[in-house]
Amino acid sequence: MAKPHRDLVRDYRQDLRLFGSPTARAGLVAMLVGLVMLPMVVQDDFWLSVLVYVGITAVGAIGLNLLTGYCGQISLGHAFFIGAGAYVTGWVGSDLPLYLWLPAAALVGGMLGAVIGPFALRLRGHYLAIVTLGLVFIGEHLWRNWRGLTGGNSGTSINAQVALGPVDFNRVELAGEVYSRNQGYFWLVWVLVAIVALLVKNLVRTRPGRALQAVRDRDQAAEVIGVRAGRYKIGAFVVSSAIASVAGALFGSYQQFVSPDEWNLLLSIQYIAIVIVGGLGTVFGSILGAVFVGALPALIDRFGDAIPGVRTGVGGEGFISVFALNQAIFGVLIVLFLVFEPRGLAGIWLRIKAYFKSWPFSY
Amino acid sequence: MTAFLQNCFAGLALGSTYALVALGFVVIFKSTGVINFAQGGLLALGAYLGYTFSNNLLLAFGVAILLACLVAAVVGAGFERLVLRRMVGQPPFAVIMITIGLLFVLEPVITAIWGFDNLQVRNPWNIHTVEVGGLVFGVKDLWTIGLTAAVVVGFFLFFKYSSLGLAMRVTAFDPEAALAQGISAKKIYAVSWAIAAALAALAGIAMAAGPGGLSPSIGFIALAAFPAMIVGGMDSPAGAVLGGSLIGLAEALTRGYQDQLFSWAGDNVSVIVPYILMIVVLLIRPYGLLGTKDVRRV
């Protein structure tokens, strides 16, 4: 008897597997090896720090994708929760070890999400987008005026402990070799990316996740088949903002200094751009999007001299600043992806995969 | 009492700018179901065009305003034609993001052309004021309020009596039925974008001609006009005017009495008052003060 194709799904249990095909499992192993090896190969501080920021962004983007991509709730308020996570870290990070302040940030973020979440019940679509937009501004006001916590306009420094048992991520010692802070943070951040990705991936394949997607696709119909849409909407808000706060906590502890200027609307929109460019409703897409959108400003910043017309310094030559060019590229990317590739990078990836799967019968 | 009235006047002047921007939101939302986040970019574009026409080309101020509104309208309609037309039938989220994308492209283009410097628009009113019974009115503010009132009246007459206005109302109510009656939805969509962009440009010039002058951050006011639209109800032009006035008054009064009443809330609390007001209104009436109630049966 002929063996069935390796990708053939034969029962429901198989369909629900986290990593369905052998290729996906092989890819996972390759990614894990890459995760461990990369900081040993790339030792340049610039690239490592770019990768650390990309990883932090990926964590936040996975959270936003859960809310926006899987549950269909538009939120422009992601920056607020990220900021909250950073300030929680600043507040308790120096007293508590890593395994306590990170969950503490998640907890506070989740609670804030639970406060905001009920708005999602009364408001839909456009109204929710604008209320969460208001959240960013109210949050910014709060961060600027709650000086005891945030240091006001001048910002506050964050001295969080980043040690897990004997491993200090500021200075990792492994088999007699000492690794720098950037290398240590790379491992810390990307392990967390893997954990969060696994968590969300697991969430969306089980009942709550399928309920979320039912709510996204048509919430009235979801109610009719017995999904309590309200509960799931709030739940998605809570989990998403908890993850956002984790991203903020990592950001704050890595950067060691934060000011209220960082949690603005632009940050929220960057996250949405990541989710769109990466692909709505895919975990892998959020990571791809974070790599793409996160690395782009770094590249422009680094190679700005080589691009004609870009002004690198204040009062330098050229008509467009690095910041402005960045913003314009974001805008163009958002528009182009939405118009021509609404499924994002993940969609392109799926097409490439499908091409090779059906090769030599592709057309 | 004088101080109170003075604050109210400042609120009305601010509110009429909000109302112009919010009217632009409502026109687009009502006919196409899209919230236009790029309104701030169009506002800034209009203001800078007005600057170029009146300061660089030395046209009369009225002509400069008209030309700026016209060019902004062409840009708005062009964007609708080039990009948004492809997005028909896509989820609202995608369309919102498209307009954010436009905003992100417009801003750097504006700063690349006009730079970051604070510019002063040449205007016929200068900084003259009129004093009536102890109250000081800025001539420019009086003009802004009067102009807004005129535009609003014209707006309502246009929608009530002109055939194009009727066609727009019909398309907003039921696009398919409108198409069946031979109304070109494409034309209506382009016209609503043009009208919204022209309103934004008008608001932009009205602001830029004031003492604050013109800088790239001028588009920021459109974000504060969102609450005006939401408070009034997203699909109600009358609501936009009402919401704009309410938000403007609330903001100006908070600013006026900040030291006495709101000192505990921190500096510049007036900036977030629109959003707080918006959230409070939404909790009581999720569809705004004059918006259409969204009926859902479950």
Side-chain angles (χ1 to χ4, degrees), chain B residues 150-171:
Chain B
V151 167
V152 167
V153 170
F155 193 82
F156 281 99
L157 291 177
F158 169 74
F159 274 102
K160 198 151 169 60
Y161 295 111
S162 76
S163 60
L164 186 59
L166 180 65
M168 288 180 75
R169 276 190 294 150
V170 173
T171 312

Side-chain angles (χ1 to χ4, degrees), chain A residues 68 74 119 122 124 126-127 130-131 134 137 141 145 147 220 266 269 272 276 280 319 324 327-328 331 334 338-339, chain B residues 33 35 86 92-94 97 101 104 107-108 220 226 234 265-267 269 272 275 278-279 282-283 286-287 296:
Chain A
T68 301
I74 310 172
F119 282 93
R122 277 179 80 78
R124 58 190 55 249
H126 299 104
Y127 281 98
I130 292 177
V131 167
F137 289 110
H141 181 77
N145 289 288
R147 296 203 177 82
Q220 290 176 24
L266 188 69
I269 290 176
I272 292 187
I276 289 175
L280 285 164
F319 57 88
Q327 195 184 338
I334 293 177
L338 279 172
V339 172
Chain B
I35 290 194
R86 302 164 189 270
F93 167 72
M97 290 312 298
F104 273 29
E107 277 181 353
F220 206 68
F226 274 128
M234 286 204 291
D267 301 333
V269 68
I272 59 164
Y275 300 100
M278 166 182 84
I279 289 173
L282 281 185
L283 284 179
Y287 38 87
R296 288 161 47 82

Side-chain angles (χ1 to χ4, degrees), chain A residues 192-328:
Chain A
L192 277 166
V193 172
I195 292 173
V196 170
L198 212 61
L199 204 87
V200 170
K201 189 115 181 141
N202 200 38
L203 185 73
V204 295
R205 84 191 164 108
T206 45
R207 186 192 144 83
R210 282 175 286 135
L212 285 185
Q213 289 165 62
V215 170
R216 171 193 66 189
D217 293 339
R218 199 159 285 272
D219 53 356
Q220 290 176 24
E223 289 258 13
V224 171
I225 57 168
V227 173
R228 292 182 53 188
R231 249 176 46 185
Y232 282 105
K233 280 184 185 176
I234 296 184
F237 237 102
V238 170
V239 176
S240 162
S241 40
I243 296 175
S245 287
V246 168
L250 287 173
F251 182 81
S253 78
Y254 178 62
Q255 198 163 266
Q256 294 182 314
F257 180 85
V258 292
S259 74
D261 299 327
E262 300 183 63
W263 327 116
N264 54 14
L265 190 60
L266 188 69
L267 185 69
S268 282
I269 290 176
Q270 272 179 359
Y271 271 96
I272 292 187
I274 288 168
V275 173
I276 289 175
V277 169
L280 285 164
T282 63
V283 171
F284 185 50
S286 320
I287 301 173
L288 277 184
V291 173
F292 193 62
V293 175
L296 199 68
L299 288 178
I300 294 176
D301 206 24
R302 176 94 162 191
F303 301 111
D305 303 322
I307 310 170
V310 171
R311 183 175 60 231
T312 43
V314 177
E317 293 278 310
F319 57 88
I320 192 164
S321 67
V322 171
F323 177 78
L325 180 66
N326 248 326
Q327 195 184 338

